[in-house]
Amino acid sequence: MKLPNLGSLWMLIAALGFAIMGALVKVGAQKFSSVELVFYRSLFGLVTIYIITLLNGYSLKTPVIRKQMSRAIVGFLSLVCFFIAIAHLPLATAVTLNYTSPLFVALLLPFTLQEKSAKLLYLAVLLGFIGVVLLLRPTLDSSDTWYGILGLLSGFGAAWAYIYVKQLANIGEPDWRTVFYFTLVSTLGATIWILPYQFTDMEWKDLPVIVGLGVSATLAQLAMTRAYRTGNTLTVASLAYSTVIFASLFGAWFWQESLSMPEYFAIGIIILGGLLSLHTSRRI
């Protein structure tokens, strides 16, 4: 079945998937450790993508294995930094630091990709980040400086991973192959990370959360990879902020985390940045 050509709009689907994944992480964290959730997320994605390749006769052999591994390693290290930051910082602070990634993409773009970008796209990215800061209202104690640096590194690493995704797409690497190598490296890395610890006993009632986590993360990775392959890089980066909107709405619906008027105003700024990026990219 041929998928619709949504271009940059694939990032909205990815954002919804990442928000669902985040909600399931919040549920799963009541029983499982962060490293276990990273492991289950990565392992499910790896198995799923491998089954897809077998059923469709796809080849996992790549002529650019070094670039695939570079993308996978950078992505995994970014994930590790993000989870460490979440464990030691207020959630809003860790998420805000991670969502500096579109800003880093904008800074790295002139040096890494030969892609035309209008100045208004940079404004859209900046608007999105301002909206995220206003919505999450992060705080950082002086004693948490080291973890704050790790959170910032997670955003920088995510930006580099996105640049690699775009480069791989430009040389014809399919979405599923890029996601496969990322989940492979992440699974191996999480396995090494978890070795000193003991797995939490899993019950049947835990399967919906674990499976849902794996499904949402895998679909989000595929959609994100396709977005960077077919869309404008800065437009996709700007639309990535919509994850925060979805996550905030999930918090309000499922955990009664009420939103204030300033928070709705912040969501409006994020939406404005996304609409501006879409309008500008269609004129390029």
Side-chain angles (χ1 to χ4, degrees):
M1 181 179 68
K2 186 177 181 181
L3 293 173
N5 183 19
L6 299 178
S8 300
L9 290 176
W10 277 106
M11 192 62 224
L12 292 178
I13 298 175
L16 178 60
F18 284 131
I20 293 173
M21 180 199 74
L24 291 172
V25 166
K26 186 169 183 175
V27 174
Q30 297 175 14
K31 180 174 181 178
F32 300 99
S33 66
S34 296
V35 62
E36 288 176 304
L37 293 174
V38 171
F39 173 79
Y40 289 129
R41 164 193 162 163
S42 304
L43 180 62
F44 185 93
L46 176 63
V47 172
T48 301
I49 296 297
Y50 185 66
I51 291 175
I52 291 175
T53 61
L54 286 180
L55 293 178
N56 291 276
Y58 296 152
S59 173
L60 294 173
K61 187 177 181 180
T62 173
V64 286
I65 186 62
R66 292 180 65 179
K67 188 171 287 292
Q68 283 283 12
M69 295 304 292
S70 295
R71 179 268 181 269
I73 292 171
V74 169
F76 173 67
L77 291 177
S78 170
L79 190 64
V80 170
C81 289
F82 184 41
F83 272 78
I84 293 176
I86 287 177
H88 293 88
L89 296 175
L91 181 61
T93 302
V95 170
T96 304
L97 291 171
N98 182 255
Y99 271 81
T100 57
S101 57
L103 294 177
F104 285 121
V105 168
L107 292 174
L108 292 171
L109 199 58
F111 309 102
T112 54
L113 297 172
Q114 300 300 316
E115 185 176 296
K116 183 181 178 181
S117 294
K119 292 182 179 178
L120 280 177
L121 280 178
Y122 292 92
L123 175 61
V125 172
L126 182 59
L127 273 177
F129 181 70
I130 291 173
V132 168
V133 172
L134 291 176
L135 178 61
L136 299 179
R137 291 174 295 179
T139 58
L140 185 63
D141 187 85
S142 58
S143 62
D144 294 327
T145 302
W146 168 244
Y147 299 111
I149 292 173
L150 287 179
L152 197 62
L153 284 175
S154 76
F156 182 73
W160 263 116
Y162 298 155
I163 294 293
Y164 275 127
V165 167
K166 186 66 176 182
Q167 290 176 336
L168 287 165
N170 288 343
I171 57 181
E173 284 291 273
D175 310 333
W176 51 265
R177 188 182 291 161
T178 299
V179 175
F180 170 81
Y181 283 105
F182 171 64
T183 55
L184 174 63
V185 169
S186 295
T187 301
L188 293 176
T191 301
I192 296 172
W193 186 12
I194 206 172
L195 282 179
Y197 306 96
Q198 184 177 359
F199 273 98
T200 303
D201 292 334
M202 187 182 297
E203 303 175 59
W204 285 105
K205 65 179 181 180
D206 299 320
L207 285 180
V209 173
I210 297 301
V211 172
L213 174 64
V215 170
S216 58
T218 302
L219 292 179
Q221 280 290 330
L222 287 168
M224 183 271 291
T225 304
R226 182 170 289 266
Y228 275 102
R229 182 168 68 84
T230 60
N232 180 283
T233 304
L234 279 185
T235 300
V236 174
S238 178
L239 292 176
Y241 289 127
S242 58
T243 302
V244 180
I245 297 177
F246 291 130
S248 299
L249 292 176
F250 287 157
W253 291 338
F254 299 114
W255 289 280
Q256 289 72 53
E257 298 173 354
S258 60
L259 298 177
S260 63
M261 286 306 298
E263 288 170 327
Y264 280 115
F265 176 72
I267 289 176
I269 292 179
I270 297 173
I271 294 174
L272 177 62
L275 292 176
L276 179 62
S277 69
L278 285 174
H279 174 72
T280 305
S281 64
R282 286 170 180 162
R283 297 174 56 187
I284 294 177

